[in-house]
Amino acid sequence: MDQLREIAESPSGDELRLGTSKAKLRKILVGIDFSGPAVTALNAAKSLAHQFVGTLFLVHAVPPVLYGPGATPELLEADLDTARAQMEVFISKVDMGSIDHRTFIEFAEPTDLIDGTARAQGADLVVVGSHGAHGLEKLAFGSVAESVLRRVPCPVLVIGPQCRENLDSIRSIVFATDLETRAFRPAQYASSIAEEMNARLTLLHVRKLELKGAEISSNGVNLLLAQTLRQLLPPDAELWCQPKVRVEVGNASEEVLRVAQSEAANLIVVGVRENSTFADHSPCSTLSQIIRGAQCPVLGVRGHLV
């Protein structure tokens, strides 16, 4: 409880609090594996590129194949040519219009290529589709989408298997935070995109029911948490919107999904924790469950620049 009071009484922590910066999503990288989720991801990226007058970088990693000592440059180049032809067919399925786009196809692991290309090109955003792997499948192979979330320096937009939104119009944004990670940067993105899109903004924190040893009432806790949520936003956010603040009780992923549905959210924004061992292999993590169940895209933002 003392920690809760410290958070509520420290609106700026050790970070400089600035006004809302205009969202800049002009370099958008899209991970392409030629699957259905990748089509949805490309359509979402295309909508954002149109909104922000951006350039798309379409990245496909050709899985390294162990040919053995007999592999020849001609054989490797043939594999790349096949992937290039697949990319042309894939792009033809989406009306790119006048949007500038470039392709990057290399032998590499998907996460390594996406991360390296994002850094080399100075990407403002990475967009990836998620197949929603879980259980033994995820424990064995991990999740490329979540691995990318924890590797690349820029925000990552994940299009989950239940996503029904195409991002042509963002009218409602839910920013969910656990208040334990450094949340100012994710809050900055949520408020900036909400301003750019003239969208409603809901700030959400989900707390556990237990208040063992609490010195104040449940209502008092909720008031302190609501105050802390408001302090995450830049001071000038009040000039253009009246954000809704919600403090809910229960399972974090279930409540985030429930609130997103009740607010008719077109976008969920969450903070992403720092790297941890096997974080992308945990089928029960809150982030995994949100991505698998969300009917709208999920934007993950690292708490620190990396």
Side-chain angles (χ1 to χ4, degrees):
M1 193 57 61
D2 289 339
Q3 182 181 11
L4 175 61
R5 287 198 180 95
E6 289 176 5
I7 294 174
E9 293 168 1
S10 304
S12 58
D14 59 358
E15 295 191 16
L16 178 64
R17 301 296 287 118
L18 303 176
T20 303
S21 300
K22 184 178 178 62
K24 296 180 181 179
L25 304 177
R26 297 195 178 96
K27 295 182 178 181
I28 303 173
L29 186 151
V30 191
I32 303 294
D33 63 0
F34 308 135
S35 66
V39 174
T40 308
L42 180 55
N43 276 313
K46 184 186 72 171
S47 296
L48 291 173
H50 178 76
Q51 173 74 27
F52 291 94
V53 192
T55 297
L56 296 182
F57 302 112
L58 311 185
V59 175
H60 174 69
V62 180
V65 179
L66 299 178
Y67 287 108
T72 64
E74 291 78 14
L75 184 58
L76 297 176
E77 187 62 29
D79 270 359
L80 290 177
D81 285 341
T82 298
R84 294 182 187 113
Q86 287 179 293
M87 180 69 84
E88 290 183 6
V89 172
F90 182 85
I91 294 175
S92 69
K93 298 177 182 178
V94 179
D95 182 11
M96 300 296 288
S98 60
I99 295 175
D100 182 28
H101 59 280
R102 309 169 195 174
T103 61
F104 296 82
I105 300 175
E106 298 180 18
F107 284 108
E109 295 295 339
T111 300
D112 293 339
L113 183 57
I114 290 173
D115 180 42
T117 307
R119 293 175 187 272
Q121 299 299 323
D124 301 307
L125 178 72
V126 168
V127 183
V128 290
S130 172
H131 298 266
H134 60 281
L136 293 177
E137 178 184 0
K138 185 169 183 181
L139 285 171
F141 300 106
S143 164
V144 171
E146 291 176 50
S147 180
V148 169
L149 268 167
R150 292 180 169 88
R151 283 273 300 275
V152 302
C154 62
V156 178
L157 186 72
V158 182
I159 311 299
Q162 305 299 322
C163 181
R164 300 293 180 267
E165 297 287 342
N166 57 18
L167 290 188
D168 285 337
S169 176
I170 298 178
R171 302 171 301 280
S172 174
I173 298 173
V174 169
F175 168 53
T177 175
D178 59 12
L179 297 178
E180 294 178 0
T181 55
R182 301 185 68 169
F184 287 134
R185 188 167 181 252
Q188 180 86 42
Y189 271 92
S191 60
S192 179
I193 295 173
E195 181 178 15
E196 178 73 21
M197 302 291 193
N198 194 29
R200 302 189 310 278
L201 178 60
T202 301
L203 309 179
L204 169 66
H205 174 70
V206 181
R207 69 172 179 83
K208 295 181 179 179
L209 178 60
E210 299 83 1
L211 289 174
K212 296 180 180 179
E215 300 174 3
I216 56 179
S217 67
S218 178
N219 286 340
V221 171
N222 288 351
L223 287 174
L224 282 172
L225 290 170
Q227 176 187 350
T228 305
L229 282 169
R230 291 189 183 93
Q231 290 172 343
L232 292 176
L233 291 180
D236 64 347
E238 297 290 341
L239 297 177
W240 54 267
C241 77
Q242 292 295 324
K244 179 185 292 187
V245 176
R246 295 185 61 164
V247 176
E248 305 293 340
V249 179
N251 176 275
S253 59
E254 292 176 1
E255 289 301 308
V256 169
L257 294 173
R258 183 182 66 81
V259 170
Q261 186 172 10
S262 70
E263 298 292 341
N266 307 106
L267 178 68
I268 297 172
V269 180
V270 297
V272 178
R273 293 179 181 274
E274 302 304 312
N275 289 329
S276 60
T277 304
F278 301 126
D280 58 310
H281 286 64
S282 172
C284 299
S285 72
T286 298
L287 182 58
S288 295
Q289 293 176 37
I290 291 173
I291 289 173
R292 288 204 302 270
Q295 296 184 11
C296 63
V298 177
L299 179 66
V301 183
R302 298 281 294 273
H304 298 270
L305 291 170
V306 290

